[in-house]
Amino acid sequence: MKWFLILWACPVLLLGSWYFLSYYDMSFGFFMLTRQAHDLVFQIYGNVLGIPPETIPPLVARAIAVDSLLVFAIIGFRKRKAIAAWWRARQPSMDASLASIESRSKAP
């Protein structure tokens, strides 16, 4: 499970950090981190896919969100017993809630 998370998080972090650094033109001397390279990459992807380049970042963000939900659903399914035990321990007991209802005054 650890490798599953690593293999999911590394590309997401790499893409996110490249996008952030190149969008704000924080190149640190590397061409790939310049705004010019950023625009060129999306222009190439736009030409290959046949869509306007400005529509690609929201599509990628949506894909990352769906993939993240899928990854967390898999993790939740694998740890469902521990999550259920945590949830049951977090809930107040039924006896305490019934006792507090019975101890209330019956006056209007």
Side-chain angles (χ1 to χ4, degrees), residues 2-80:
K2 177 175 64 170
W3 283 105
F4 179 68
L5 285 173
I6 290 170
L7 291 174
W8 163 77
C10 284
V12 170
L13 290 174
L14 184 67
L15 179 66
S17 60
W18 172 80
Y19 183 82
F20 176 78
L21 290 173
S22 65
Y23 185 79
Y24 292 109
D25 202 16
M26 293 187 237
S27 65
F28 303 112
F30 297 108
F31 173 74
M32 199 58 202
L33 297 177
T34 62
R35 181 61 190 221
Q36 182 183 6
H38 176 90
D39 293 337
L40 180 64
V41 166
F42 285 109
Q43 185 66 40
I44 291 170
Y45 277 128
N47 289 340
V48 168
L49 296 173
I51 59 175
E54 60 272 1
T55 61
I56 295 173
L59 293 174
V60 172
R62 199 174 314 151
I64 289 173
V66 170
D67 289 347
S68 299
L69 286 175
L70 184 64
V71 165
F72 291 128
I74 291 169
I75 292 170
F77 182 75
R78 289 188 52 125
K79 300 207 180 263
R80 64 187 180 276

